[in-house]
Every structure is written in structure tokens, then in C-alpha cells.
Amino acid sequence: MGGLSLASSLSSQGMRGTIKKESFGKTTGGEQIELYSLSNKKGMEVSITNFGATVVTLKVPDRAGKAADTVLGYDTLDGYEKGTSYFGATVGRYGNRIAGGKFSLDGKTYTLPKNNGENTLHGGIVGFNKKVWKAREIASKAGESLEMTYLSADGEEGFPGNLSAKVVFTLPAERNELKIDYTATTDKDTVLNLTNHSYFNLAGEGNGDILDHVMTLHAKQFTPVDKGLIPTGELKNVGGTPMDFNSATAIGKRINESDEQLVFGKGYDHNWVLTRAGGGSGLLVAAEAYDPKSGRKLEVLTTEPGVQFYSGNFLDGAKGKGNKPYPQRAAFCLETQHFPDSPNHPNFPSTLLKPNVVFHSQTVFRFSAK
Ligand code: GLA
């Protein structure tokens, strides 16, 4: 990558893959930031920075074995410090929106900073995506892992409780997948919704739009929203609507229809309720995306109850890596999560985290090509 200093470069040879650490520069506040590159023997390479516990590059082979970087982002730390799109970041303490920047817990009303019209989005003004995380490399027989930890103080961005968050990224030696394990504990009742906000373009970032990518979402229902993108509380069947992706459908096929939900979202920007036969919270395939041109396929597996499929509607042509413009719909996100605004919807799966309970969730981005 251009603009990187190799001064503090360090390589460690794991059992089957490698982790390389290099400087990603200093924040405007003077904090040293690192970039870690994990690679395996199957041609996959992922780089992650401890600024926002952010996935910076994600290189995977196409059907001819040629690797391309499939995620949007920036070449330098500066881009991530200034950016407003959450490229690749770990989002918290509460991913997606909380209506009116308010929720009640144990009889007390908490007021959060509003950073998205009347609402709070992705944890507030300075979310986890803008925090400096502590990183630790872990090598095992199974592959290479990078652990990121962050302590969010009681009252940070209005949320109660000291929250200790841990995100472990693993690149298995023998499979092209990025596994993300989230754990968290708190010392007071709080609400929590952690996700990763990678923007994928399976043809390679900066390579046109994703309207021809074919999407499958394993969900029979979604949570309709109002014009501020706040869920109405209803779980609506997708059948007969442009939200039905139970069979593989090109993202662009229905995206410009006059359906009210698509108008509110300026495209897809909704939470799908994952179909969990018999309930439970095991790891299941939530979504599959396929790029017919390159043959690259992404499967998203998760233990979470929902996935936000966002079709990059707010991208505006601002420049990213290699000075390439990222126009509207240059990428899609599949943000595995609890439902938006859950603290204000008792009928949604609960996002309450209590002291002495360890929160754990897992999401896997699995790649193949054919
Ligand atoms: C999520 C939201 C979108 C948008 C993006 C970031 O997907 O639902 O509305 O805020 O994050 O731009």
C-alpha cells in the first residue's frame, strides 16, 4: 500500500500463515497506529488497523486465481480519521439507529448525541469506529488471529456502564474466510449492538457498481422503516415485495422501483430478520453475494438475529484507495446485527447486556470463486 512507513515492520511466521505489522502513521492526537496484514496459503490477505478495529484491505482470488481487493477504504490513516462512511470499521456501542437519541433502561432515560437527523447512528458522534483499539497478535495451528480490545467508559456517548469490548479477527490457514468473534462485558446494565461495516465490491473496489451482483438473503421477514430509517416495529413478510431475496436476485433488478421502503432507503438500507428454523442462535448462512464477472462469491454466516443489507446509497463519488471515486452503489454492506432501535422495541430480540454476563457473537465472511 502506498504511503505506509515500513520503519516498524515486523513479521511473524505462524504455523500456516503470516502476520506482518507496520506503521499506519499517527492520529492527529499523536497516537501511533498500526496496520496488520494476515495472509494464508490459499491466496487470501486481510489488513486490519487498530484505528476503529477496521478492515482496510481484503484480497481474495477470482475464478482464475487472480486476487483483488474487495473492500472500499482509504490508503492512509487520515482517510479513516476524516471519513464518515464507516468503511470496514467495527461499529459500536450500538450499531445502526436509536430513535430520537433516547432509550429507557431500568426506569431511567438515557439521552445520546444525535448524529443522523433526529437520531443516533452507529454509536454516536465518536463511535467505536473512531477509537484506538489495543491489538495483540495470536498465531495458532488453525491460522492467524488478531485480537482488538477497547474499554468504553461509563457515560461515553451517553451509554451506561464501563463496557469492555473484544473483537478477534481470524484468517484460517486452510479456508478463505475472515472470522470475527465479538465478546463484551459491562459493569452496569447497558445496550449493545456490534457489527463490522465492510463495503464489498466483489469485482474489486473502485471497479464500478454492484448492481449486477446477485444477492441471496435467507430471511422471510424484514423490519420496515419510516422516512428517518427507524423501524416501525412491524416484522413484515418479504413475499411479493422487492425485499424478497430468498432466491438469488441481481441487486439492481428492483432497486429503483417506487416501493415506499426503497424510496425511504434510497435503495436497500434495511434489516432482514434471519430465518432461524426452531429459534436458537447458532451460526447460519445469512446472505450470499455473487459477482458473475469475476466469479467471486461471499457467504456471510452469523449468530446474530438480523442483517442490514445496505446498497451504498449514500456514497457520493468521494475518492478512496488509489484516488478512485466511490460513486453511489459502488459497494454493498451486510452488517450482521441485532435490529436497529431495539432498545425502543420490546418485541425485537433484546440488546440488553447485564453485568456478569459475557456477550458473544460470531460473523464469518467466507469467500470462494467459480
Ligand atoms: C448503515 C445505515 C445507513 C448508513 C450507513 C453508513 O448501513 O443503515 O443508513 O448510515 O450505515 O453510511
Side-chain angles (χ1 to χ4, degrees), residues 75 86 169 303 341 345 350:
D75 291 324
Y86 304 87
F169 297 93
T303 59
D341 198 31
H345 294 282
S350 175

Side-chain angles (χ1 to χ4, degrees), residues 91-129:
V91 171
R93 182 179 303 200
Y94 197 95
N96 213 285
R97 293 173 178 79
I98 296 185
K102 260 195 192 129
F103 67 95
S104 301
L105 193 55
D106 306 327
K108 199 175 162 206
T109 300
Y110 291 91
T111 308
L112 314 171
K114 295 173 183 173
N115 62 334
N116 188 247
E118 278 308 293
N119 307 314
T120 302
L121 176 66
H122 292 332
I125 294 164
V126 191
F128 288 8
N129 59 303

